[in-house]
Amino acid sequence: MNIIYILLGIASITVLSVLAWQLYSRSVRITNRLQMNNLFTNISHELLTPLTVISASIEQLREQEPRFGSSYALMELNIERMVRLLQEILETSKLQSGEERLLVSQGDVMQYISQTALCLKPLMDQRQQEFTIHCTPRSMMGWIDTDKLDKIIYNLLSNASKYTPQGGKVDLEAITNSTYDHITIKVKDNGIGLSEDKKKHLFHRFYDGDYRKMRTTGTGLGLPLTRDLVFLHGGTIDCESKEGRGTTFIVNLPINKEAFSHSQIDETNRIDNSKPKAAIIDLPQLVPQEEEMPKPAEGPETADDETYRILLVEDNIELLLLMQSLLSQEYLVTTAKNGREALEVIQQKELDLIISDVMMPELDGNQLTQKVKEDPNTSHLPVILLTAKTQEKDKNLSLLIGADDYITKPFRMSDLKLRINNIIENRKRIQREYMAQTIEETRLETQMTQPTPDEAFLHRAIECVYSHLSDSDFDRDAFASEMGASASTLYNKLRSLTGLNVSAFIRDIRMKEARKLAQTQPSLRVSELAYKVGFKDPKYFSTCFKKEFGLQPSEYMEQMAAR
């Protein structure tokens, strides 16, 4: 019975969409501006109400029948699109009737621009577009209407992505002037560009541009609305474009308090830089064509010892991109869209945790977990499974296979982060215990009569580093080669057993041995001590020693000699 409700919900949204477009098209032909504005406003209000009801009904259905998760996602995505269109119509109507008001607040303008732009990264990722954000300076106080600026940035960036081919580039740059009372926002792409004739009509309402040529959608309202919002803010907007070479929009906005009237200033609130993170994220279509599938996203090339590496495995591209965007704020995230692809990533990447959907093509989450846990090189990797299956037997099956945790869809991101952080805290506990031990204690533990495979691996790793202790060229690659393991396998094993990455593990052994030598041979020169434990630069050695033990090596040896 509930599936009937779902289908009715989808049908309702479709009918509303058709109705909205028909009424919207009729309104274009109305010559009286007042009539058109009133019609826009009435249509928008009338359609927003049933959309709210449908949205609430979906939440009820999700609780009663959670197994239809993809259908709910489809309906919610269409609701979001409808709401965005209706809000655009309302905004245009208010501007034309003079009802739209500016209300500026003080805060870190550059940080707000950066965070708002970052919300559109999933849109660029879906089209495999290179997206860069540059704010100079990175932080600067000023006065802006965040609601208007959200819409300006969203429209310009989504427009740039829309008219830039897959694999192209989109860049946002924000700079200030010499007196710090204005900002200039430039949105640049290397897309199809505009002819001089098309540039003349760019800000005309209902001008649909080349969206059909680019196989996308358009209403002809976005850029005119953006221009009006810029003017409302007391700014200017220009467009530079060459056909076939790309387009640059340049927005100049005042940000000093004196640029606004008393009624436009809100003294009570400051700009909340966390707001854009939960604001507009334009998700792509739920079922993109195979050739449009994004490649597994990669994080930065380097990360410090505290950065944890997560592999996300999910065949729903929209959910994958959204989770990647949210988790990338705290972790280094790599993605795969099925279990088979995930296995390839696991063999190549340094990882701390796998988060995987259960129901996927080619190799599902349970099969992926089983392969990971059966392989001694990867068995230590924690796995969190996400699934729409809610029955206890399904959960027990996944846990028996070896999953470390199990979350049913729909899930809260806060819940997922809690599970991730629990695993990380366990890793940190292991690290603290390992760091507190001397090398002799660790060696003794790993030389038990019947060591486990992990203990035997750790013992072999310690002895391997000791055999190259004074070799300053002994790095992670040489270490992996000596151990007969790939760099990713070595990282994954050491991280799970000690909480340290490969470089930190080598450095920890060097530091512990340096302390032991300083205790037993306090007459050594610092440079001699550094060379004995594999450091080329005594100054860098001294820095590492003080960071580890709180004293310079010379001070430490003086204390040892005085005993």
Side-chain angles (χ1 to χ4, degrees), residues 88-322:
E88 205 168 64
I89 293 172
L90 274 173
E91 199 81 31
T92 301
S93 178
K94 286 181 181 178
L95 282 164
Q96 287 190 329
S97 63
E99 296 176 5
E100 188 70 280
R101 294 287 183 265
L102 195 72
L103 193 62
V104 298
S105 302
Q106 188 186 33
D108 193 327
V109 175
M110 291 302 190
Q111 284 291 316
Y112 195 86
I113 291 171
S114 177
Q115 292 292 349
T116 303
L118 197 61
C119 289
L120 279 95
K121 187 176 184 299
L123 177 64
M124 313 295 176
D125 288 343
Q126 195 270 338
R127 294 178 60 81
Q128 299 179 28
Q129 292 167 341
E130 182 182 334
F131 181 38
T132 56
I133 302 169
H134 302 283
C135 292
T136 308
R138 295 180 64 181
S139 177
M140 188 182 71
M141 300 298 288
W143 294 80
I144 54 169
D145 185 322
T146 57
D147 178 62
K148 309 299 183 292
L149 190 57
D150 273 348
K151 293 181 175 65
I152 291 168
I153 292 174
Y154 172 81
N155 282 330
L156 291 179
L157 285 176
S158 62
N159 194 72
S161 178
K162 184 186 301 183
Y163 293 106
T164 299
Q166 185 170 312
K169 296 181 180 180
V170 178
D171 177 71
L172 179 140
E173 180 186 16
I175 56 175
T176 185
N177 61 348
S178 58
T179 52
Y180 302 100
D181 58 1
H182 278 72
I183 55 168
T184 299
I185 302 171
K186 295 182 180 180
V187 174
K188 182 179 181 181
D189 65 66
N190 64 346
I192 62 174
L194 295 164
S195 65
E196 289 300 318
D197 182 60
K198 288 179 180 177
K199 281 172 64 176
K200 296 175 184 177
H201 306 285
L202 193 59
F203 295 109
H204 292 180
R205 284 190 176 85
F206 317 121
Y207 178 67
D208 57 16
D210 290 321
Y211 71 83
R212 293 183 182 87
K213 176 181 175 183
M214 298 301 292
R215 296 181 182 179
T216 183
T217 57
T219 63
L221 285 176
L223 287 177
L225 174 61
T226 300
R227 177 201 57 188
D228 291 345
L229 292 174
V230 169
F231 289 170
L232 183 68
H233 213 289
T236 60
I237 181 169
D238 293 302
C239 174
E240 298 174 355
S241 185
K242 288 188 177 181
E243 198 165 10
R245 297 182 61 181
T247 301
T248 301
F249 283 94
I250 305 166
V251 172
N252 191 275
L253 299 174
I255 59 168
N256 58 321
K257 188 177 181 181
E258 293 71 26
F260 308 102
S261 66
H262 179 73
S263 62
Q264 294 175 325
I265 296 172
D266 183 0
E267 297 274 11
T268 60
N269 294 309
R270 291 176 59 85
I271 296 171
D272 181 3
N273 284 321
S274 67
K275 183 180 176 183
K277 295 178 184 177
I280 41 178
I281 298 180
D282 190 19
L283 298 179
Q285 295 179 2
L286 278 174
V287 191
Q289 297 298 314
E290 182 63 28
E291 62 268 20
E292 294 177 353
M293 294 287 191
K295 296 177 181 178
E298 298 183 5
E301 290 291 325
T302 59
D304 59 32
D305 295 352
E306 297 301 315
T307 305
Y308 280 78
R309 296 160 167 83
I310 293 175
L311 170 62
L312 289 178
V313 192
E314 171 63 64
D315 64 325
N316 183 306
I317 301 302
E318 285 64 43
L319 179 57
L320 180 69
L321 293 176
L322 183 56

Side-chain angles (χ1 to χ4, degrees), residues 306-308 326-333 417 421:
E306 297 301 315
T307 305
Y308 280 78
L326 295 171
L327 292 175
S328 292
Q329 298 171 25
E330 299 177 45
Y331 316 105
L332 201 68
V333 179
K417 286 185 176 180
N421 290 332

